[in-house]
Amino acid sequence: HVGDVYVVNTVAGKDFVKDPGLHRTLLGDGLACATAGFLGGPPVTTYSEVTGAMVLTKVTDPTVIRIAAVTGIVFSVVGKVSALLKSIPSAVLGGIMLLLFGTIAAAGIANMVNHQVDMSKTRNIIIVSLTLTLGIGGAVISFGEFSMAGIGLAAIVGVLLNLVLPQDKD
């Protein structure tokens, strides 16, 4: 959530950490997850796909994003619209997903450039390359019935590498 908010900050050119505040965005995310669980839905994520769409369309107005969210909810409960959306060929949806998730990765890299992350340091190259490869490459780690893959696995590996790999001495 925090990483997504920072990338959305960069894409929108605004500081959502200050206004409305990270505590409010976390609360909203938590309420959305709790509501989804209460209604019998799966765990939810909030920003990654939206960030990709924002980068592609250049539309960052929160009102437009809210309208899109409400439209998505309505589409999901109207059977005829759901059937229409299911008629879209999987190759088309796959292409859209490639574009969206590639755009998310590019927005993350742009965020590192904007914050002047020194990519000449081996430590930073290792963290970025492993995180991207695990997140995009479909790696899966399994322990018995538990498994983790994709963006979740990449995020945990990125945080762990950031904590474990030694910093350069000045």
Short mmCIF file of all heavy atoms in Angstrom, two decimals, residues 21 28 39 52 56 93 116 120 140:
data_model
loop_
_atom_site.label_atom_id
_atom_site.label_comp_id
_atom_site.label_asym_id
_atom_site.label_seq_id
_atom_site.Cartn_x
_atom_site.Cartn_y
_atom_site.Cartn_z
N GLY A 21 -3.40 12.07 3.60
CA GLY A 21 -2.62 11.50 4.69
C GLY A 21 -2.53 9.99 4.58
O GLY A 21 -3.52 9.34 4.22
N GLY A 28 -8.67 3.57 4.57
CA GLY A 28 -9.55 3.25 3.44
C GLY A 28 -9.23 1.89 2.86
O GLY A 28 -10.14 1.10 2.55
N LEU A 39 -18.19 -9.53 2.77
CA LEU A 39 -19.14 -9.87 1.71
C LEU A 39 -18.79 -11.19 1.02
O LEU A 39 -19.45 -11.58 0.05
CB LEU A 39 -19.19 -8.75 0.67
CG LEU A 39 -19.74 -7.41 1.19
CD1 LEU A 39 -19.61 -6.33 0.13
CD2 LEU A 39 -21.19 -7.56 1.64
N GLY A 52 -1.04 1.91 -13.36
CA GLY A 52 -0.72 1.66 -14.77
C GLY A 52 -1.67 2.40 -15.69
O GLY A 52 -1.26 3.01 -16.68
N LEU A 56 -0.80 5.47 -18.43
CA LEU A 56 -1.15 5.35 -19.84
C LEU A 56 -2.09 6.44 -20.32
O LEU A 56 -1.95 6.96 -21.41
CB LEU A 56 -1.78 3.98 -20.12
CG LEU A 56 -0.83 2.79 -20.02
CD1 LEU A 56 -1.61 1.49 -20.13
CD2 LEU A 56 0.23 2.86 -21.10
N LEU A 93 -6.96 -9.46 -23.26
CA LEU A 93 -6.79 -9.15 -21.84
C LEU A 93 -5.34 -9.36 -21.40
O LEU A 93 -4.81 -8.58 -20.60
CB LEU A 93 -7.74 -10.01 -20.99
CG LEU A 93 -9.22 -9.67 -21.13
CD1 LEU A 93 -10.06 -10.64 -20.32
CD2 LEU A 93 -9.49 -8.24 -20.71
N GLN A 116 16.61 9.96 -7.02
CA GLN A 116 18.06 9.87 -7.24
C GLN A 116 18.69 8.66 -6.55
O GLN A 116 19.72 8.76 -5.89
CB GLN A 116 18.74 11.17 -6.79
CG GLN A 116 18.24 12.36 -7.57
CD GLN A 116 18.80 13.68 -7.11
OE1 GLN A 116 19.36 13.77 -6.01
NE2 GLN A 116 18.66 14.70 -7.93
N SER A 120 24.40 2.82 -9.63
CA SER A 120 25.76 2.31 -9.84
C SER A 120 26.21 1.45 -8.66
O SER A 120 27.23 0.78 -8.74
CB SER A 120 26.74 3.47 -10.07
OG SER A 120 26.90 4.22 -8.88
N VAL A 140 7.49 -18.73 -7.69
CA VAL A 140 6.59 -19.16 -6.62
C VAL A 140 7.43 -19.83 -5.54
O VAL A 140 8.31 -20.63 -5.84
CB VAL A 140 5.54 -20.17 -7.13
CG1 VAL A 140 4.65 -20.65 -6.00
CG2 VAL A 140 4.72 -19.58 -8.25
#
